[in-house]
Amino acid sequence: MTFIVPIGPQHPALKEPVYFRFETKGEEIVNLDFRLGYVHRGIERAMQERTYLHNIYLSERICGICNVGHTTTYCQAIEQLAGIEVPDRARFIRTILCELERIHSHLLWAGIAAHEIGFDTLFMLFWRDRELVLDLKEMISGNRQMAASNTLGGVRRDVKPEHVPKILGTLDKLEKATKKYISLCTSDRTILARCVGVGVLPKSDAKKLCTVGPTARASGVDVDIRRDDPYEAYDEISFDVITTPGGDVFARVVVRLLELLESIKISRQAVEALPKGPLRVKIAPKIEPNEAVERVEMPRGELLYYAISNGTDKPERVRIRTPTYANIPSLKPMFVGGTIAEIPIVLASIDPCFACTDRVALVDSHTDKTRIVSLRELRRWKG
Amino acid sequence: MMEVVNFILDSLVFPGLLFASLIGLLYIGIDRKVGAHMQNRIGPPIWQEFLDVGKLLSKEDITPAAAQTSVFTAAPLVALGAAVTVMLLLPITSAQPALKTVADLIVIIYLLNIPAICIMLGGYSSGSPFGAVGAGRYVVQLFSYEFIFILAIIAVVVRVGDLNLPTIVGYQAQQGWLVLDWRILPAVIAALIAAQAKLLRVPFDIPEAHTEIVAGPLTEYSGPRLAIWRIAYDVETIVVAGLLVALFFGGPTDWVIGSIKIPGIVDFLIKILAIVLLTTTLRNIMARLRIDQALKFFWTYVALLAIISLVLVLVVP
């Protein structure tokens, strides 16, 4: 006899509303089903109603954690539409902000993962050290979280010369802390007991299900947009792509922690090699008909923006594919065969961000046809 | 007549309900504060538990439609009653407990299991899948730690040759603490680990694992009934620690510093606090285990410790 364990839409293991329906036999999971769409915000549609400049702020609000990644990709797409080149200094500053964001996001993730396995002390320590990065972000962009630094054609705020020693000092501190955490996480018996061999995603499945980001790299798939399709200043910076063959939760922990070290390395190089020059170039408000695709490696994986312009100051269409959207199918092979106790940590191990992921399509289940309804129809629609 | 009044005072005021609740809430408050400092946080004030319980008592009490109301309501009350009763049987001020009727260690072991059984009943009767899963886990956990806890106690009983707690405390007053006896030491370690599981603390907070099954058996409880659960849990904490103190750490001892005589209860409470703080430390340096891992851990390493101790006590005179 199977027994349904509902996880969500409200559950302590979930930071955002999403509904998982686990069919269990005792403690073992035999099947699962998930339902997204609790936090759909209609941002793609809203982008068509606003000007290119205005849309930067909208794209920034798609994800609170990886806001720099979103604006970077958006700005790159629009710059490609308009056919303009970003000044060198702006490219480097964007790179620094992207990497600082990766550090803060990975530390945040590590804290949450520790909390999911009941290790609250480690959770607090990770978040304590995350404050260091947030301070850096505040110093460079003026904001701890929502950087609001990227703009079409460049960046809005400069990294001042007096900031550089401070940034380097904090990065040294972070590197020391990260090394301590790596030795802790790879040696603590209880952490190993909860993470090794749990939620395994084999390399073949990871490739078949188009998994992206650290989740794919932990399964041995060697993908990283920063190296494969360099953007901003990544082609002028040397770094390693971390992969491990394990495929389990522990491999994902290790990949993210080692990526922290790589990110620190990249930020340090970018800060030291910061070229002189202007911060931004002007961009005309109206853009001729064109289309563009841009990809960026976010903390969670590949982010894709596809934009079409139509000669006005508003985009014809912007399509966004967030990393969680790509990673959701890979949850199934991770969960089936595991136990209820593994649900939170396996779910957290892909570092999900559901608000970015929600899309809506109305499908008639009898005819399999999708249809479009107006806002007025939707308001009156019952069920 | 006097006996009846005394009995009522004992069970309701000292060392019964009132005293036990006050000390329990205070100690868990200290536990939270110390735990917070271990995690590099400031933490709540040490009287936070009083505020929490006070708030819960004034809140709306909701019974889920699917719940078995009578069992659901009785579970916290019975649990609290059992925990307070053990308090009456512990030697707190001197070797003699408040309740002088013949009640030996076997009764205490039974009574200490009642809160666990009540949590299971509360979970199953709540009609929530989280409650049912949590109760199921608790059954497994009970089977992992309880036998080892009893084995450790048996080692002491064999050493002392008596089932009565006052006799055990008296023996330690003459022969020194049992924890200092190398034959008993493995049993003490086993009992401390079992107590960690009995008190549902990390790494054995599996039945109420917050991120996995919300609050396990207590998920559907709210308002005053949850407050009673909190008090029951807090009293259980000091009662289990108190039993360990009486068994292994000499129980209440009078101290004379200079010309001031410090009563045994102070000594007893300090020892309880030390044990509570030991469990606080353990719960802050580990991650939660899975239920199968906990079961395996108890039946291999911890059971081995308890059995070694028992064999040593039996073989080495």
Side-chain angles (χ1 to χ4, degrees), chain B residues 61-91:
Chain B
D61 197 358
I62 300 165
T63 309
Q68 294 267 332
T69 316
S70 51
V71 182
F72 190 68
T73 311
L77 292 170
V78 177
L80 179 61
V84 171
T85 313
V86 184
M87 198 69 188
L88 299 180
L89 298 174
L90 286 181

Side-chain angles (χ1 to χ4, degrees), chain A residues 152-281:
Chain A
L152 298 177
V155 291
R156 292 172 54 227
R157 284 173 69 119
D158 199 4
V159 175
K160 297 184 182 69
E162 65 263 30
H163 289 165
V164 172
K166 224 170 177 184
I167 296 174
L168 292 176
T170 312
L171 287 175
D172 286 343
K173 249 191 239 170
L174 268 172
E175 189 172 21
K176 224 174 174 182
T178 310
K179 280 183 177 153
K180 196 179 74 194
Y181 291 134
I182 290 173
S183 77
L184 193 149
C185 290
T186 49
S187 63
D188 187 278
R189 294 286 291 273
T190 47
I191 294 179
L192 294 180
R194 288 305 300 276
C195 294
V196 174
V198 168
V200 179
L201 179 71
K203 188 175 180 181
S204 55
D205 278 353
K207 277 194 162 164
K208 202 168 66 193
L209 296 168
C210 302
T211 312
V212 296
T215 316
R217 290 196 284 277
S219 291
V221 184
D222 192 10
V223 287
D224 192 323
I225 310 294
R226 289 177 292 176
R227 181 201 57 195
D228 302 339
D229 181 11
Y231 54 95
E232 304 305 348
Y234 284 106
D235 47 351
E236 292 160 42
I237 287 169
S238 76
F239 61 95
D240 297 323
V241 175
I242 309 288
T243 55
T244 49
D248 54 358
V249 172
F250 184 64
R252 276 164 236 152
V253 174
V254 170
V255 162
R256 286 202 175 87
L257 288 178
L258 291 177
E259 272 185 14
L260 279 177
L261 290 180
E262 289 304 313
S263 287
I264 292 169
K265 208 165 94 186
I266 296 172
S267 323
R268 200 177 278 149
Q269 289 178 43
V271 170
E272 279 164 357
L274 207 57
K276 294 218 168 1
L279 280 183
R280 57 184 293 194
V281 291

